[in-house]
């Protein structure tokens, strides 16, 4: 077995206080020993190895874990975005435009588009990503989206309950029955998770529970789009059903915050979405002070957050969500792993997958200090340099 050493690290973030200082477990003048794609040891610079990667005194962090994305789609909604910037309100119904384009695209086109977006995420330091379906809203279309997503990640989420398709207007209960039956059966072989958009204009609390319960019976983990456009039942449904994550969490009551803080459900915040839709930002400080676990994710999608930059999300989280740099970085790495209920990514203690991002900077603070600057100089996934 060959040994690779990522050496000459000026500042290493392990996300494990047992291997360094503070909540990020930082070490100076460090090295990471990699064997068979996993971290074998965290040690001082200068360790012996068969192969050496020189970090050049730069800062090294765990690869970002993006726990909420919609990478498999076709079409473009730039005009909708421009109209919104000119004052048009955001509404969930814009999803239908992407559904029409995605349904019309071939498998080959969707594969090429999704693979290009995944390469872009690797350049952004995202070493692990979740990918949702949800832009076909029919049985065969959702199945092929899940299958294509499964070629890029083992964290595929079936999101047939994304929106009511036009052919089911005024027949929401019939569509929910389809999602919970034939559509779920078709998508389950490719999926680890099931999700539902519990929001006005999408699915109500009872319909959301029905979808989640069907997914649980099928052996899938649970996720919920919750409380994006206003206060509603989404967070409470997520906690009640034991979902791994409630995503968006923009509009929270005190009861919602308390429920998240007293549960294992991660509050996954998507600040690039709120930036893009001109919605209020979620109050991460309130969640963290209450004891809730917080993740940051990009929500890369064509309508409300067409970005693959986790660095941008971190900068927004510090400036507008009232997080510290350390909290935001941990939410974008270990927080994402917890939202996916994984213990093999999001940190660099021995046994973890060797997923790292090398910053062209001396510390993670530069992700916020230099917003918009591409500071990811190299990305390593499972011990292999991918950017």
């Amino acid at each position: 077995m060959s040994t690779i050493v990522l050496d000459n690290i000026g500042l290493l973030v392990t996300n494990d206080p047992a291997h360094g200082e503070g909540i990020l477990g930082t070490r100076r003048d460090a090295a990471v020993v990699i064997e068979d794609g996993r971290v074998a040891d965290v040690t001082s610079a200068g360790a012996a190895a068969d192969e050496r990667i020189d970090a050049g005194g730069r800062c090294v962090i765990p690869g970002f874990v993006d726990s909420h994305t919609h990478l498999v789609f076709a079409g473009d909604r730039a005009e909708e975005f421009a109209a919104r910037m000119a004052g048009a309100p955001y509404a969930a119904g814009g999803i239908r435009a992407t559904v029409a384009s995605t349904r019309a695209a071939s498998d080959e086109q969707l594969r090429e588009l999704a693979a290009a977006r995944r390469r872009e995420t690797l350049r952004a330091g995202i070493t692990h990503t979740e990918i949702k379906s949800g832009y076909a809203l029919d049985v065969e279309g959702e199945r092929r989206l899940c299958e294509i997503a499964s070629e890029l990640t083992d964290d595929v989420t079936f999101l047939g309950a994304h929106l009511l398709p036009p052919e089911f207007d005024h027949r929401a209960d019939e569509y929910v029955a389809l999602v919970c039956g034939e559509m779920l059966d078709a998508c389950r072989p490719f999926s680890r998770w099931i999700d539902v958009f519990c929001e006005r204009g999408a699915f109500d609390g009872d319909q959301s529970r029905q979808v989640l319960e069907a997914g649980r019976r099928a052996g899938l983990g649970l996720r919920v789009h919750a409380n994006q456009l206003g206060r509603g039942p989404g967070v409470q449904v997520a906690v009640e059903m034991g979902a791994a994550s409630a995503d968006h969490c923009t509009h929270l009551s005190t009861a919602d915050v308390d429920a998240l803080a007293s549960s294992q459900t991660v509050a996954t915040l998507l600040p690039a979405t709120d930036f893009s839709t001109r919605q209020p930002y979620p109050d991460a400080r309130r969640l963290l002070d209450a004891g809730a676990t917080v993740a940051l994710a990009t929500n890369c999608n064509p309508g409300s957050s067409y970005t693959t930059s986790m660095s941008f999300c971190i900068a927004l989280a510090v400036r507008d969500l009232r997080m510290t740099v350390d909290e935001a970085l941990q939410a974008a790495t270990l927080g994402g792993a917890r939202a996916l209920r994984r213990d093999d990514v999001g940190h660099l203690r021995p046994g973890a997958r060797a997923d790292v991002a090398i910053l062209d900077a001396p510390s993670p603070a530069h992700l916020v200090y230099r917003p918009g600057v591409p500071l990811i100089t190299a990305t390593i996934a499972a011990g292999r340099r991918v950017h």
Side-chain angles (χ1 to χ4, degrees), residues 6 9 12-14 32 34 37 39 53 55 59-64 122 124-128 333 346-348 352-359 376-387:
L6 177 56
I9 301 170
L12 174 66
V13 173
T14 68
V32 176
I34 301 169
V39 176
I53 301 172
C59 177
V60 170
I61 63 175
F64 296 129
L122 290 169
I126 297 169
T127 49
H128 186 72
T333 50
H347 61 87
L348 293 175
R353 203 167 71 192
D355 290 358
V356 306
I358 303 175
L359 306 183
I376 308 299
T377 191
T379 306
I380 296 170
R384 183 174 65 90
R385 188 162 180 162
V386 293
H387 163 62

Side-chain angles (χ1 to χ4, degrees), residues 80-323:
E80 174 193 323
F81 177 82
R84 191 161 61 243
M85 292 301 98
Y90 173 72
I95 292 166
R96 286 187 173 183
T98 299
V99 170
S101 297
T102 302
R103 286 178 173 181
S106 68
D107 288 3
E108 182 180 1
Q109 288 171 323
L110 289 174
R111 279 192 170 89
E112 289 177 354
L113 289 166
R117 293 176 192 121
R118 182 64 185 110
R119 290 193 295 271
E120 188 173 295
T121 68
L122 290 169
R123 293 196 297 271
I126 297 169
T127 49
H128 186 72
T129 186
E130 177 261 19
I131 303 175
K132 303 180 192 296
S133 68
Y135 288 128
L137 308 183
D138 57 30
V139 173
E140 176 54 25
E142 287 295 303
R143 186 209 62 77
R144 72 170 181 151
L145 297 188
C146 288
E147 181 178 10
I148 291 168
S150 73
E151 297 166 5
L152 300 172
T153 184
D154 57 358
D155 271 306
V156 175
T157 299
F158 164 48
L159 182 58
H162 198 185
L163 196 72
L164 197 64
E167 61 267 28
F168 279 86
D169 274 346
H170 311 299
R171 296 189 292 140
D173 289 342
E174 289 182 42
Y175 182 68
V176 168
L178 179 67
V179 170
C180 295
E182 184 181 356
M183 195 181 290
L184 173 58
D185 291 342
C187 295
R188 182 176 56 81
F190 307 102
S191 305
R192 184 181 176 212
W193 304 96
I194 191 168
D195 198 345
V196 60
F197 193 3
C198 184
E199 189 68 69
R200 68 175 186 266
F203 299 94
D204 65 25
D206 290 340
Q207 291 164 341
S208 298
R209 289 184 184 90
Q210 187 177 343
V211 169
L212 295 172
E213 185 54 47
R216 180 156 56 193
R217 288 195 303 269
L220 301 182
L222 312 183
R223 323 187 69 74
V224 180
H225 282 59
N227 298 57
Q228 177 188 1
L229 303 178
R231 291 188 182 181
V235 164
Q236 296 296 328
V237 168
V239 172
E240 169 195 326
M241 299 290 291
S245 183
D247 298 37
H248 286 290
C249 295
T250 307
H251 300 273
L252 299 181
S253 66
T254 299
D256 292 332
V257 174
D258 291 345
L260 288 164
S262 62
S263 75
Q264 298 300 308
T265 300
V266 174
T268 298
L269 309 182
L270 313 172
T273 308
D274 306 300
F275 173 89
S276 180
T277 59
R278 285 185 167 160
Q279 297 291 303
Y281 288 102
D283 190 345
R285 181 82 272 133
R286 184 182 177 200
L287 286 161
L288 289 165
D289 289 348
T293 301
V294 169
L296 289 175
T298 66
N299 189 24
C300 180
N301 76 83
S304 64
S305 185
Y306 201 4
T307 182
T308 53
S309 176
M310 189 70 82
S311 299
F312 175 58
C313 295
I314 289 172
L316 288 176
V318 172
R319 184 189 183 279
D320 292 305
L321 275 62
R322 301 198 297 154
M323 300 178 80

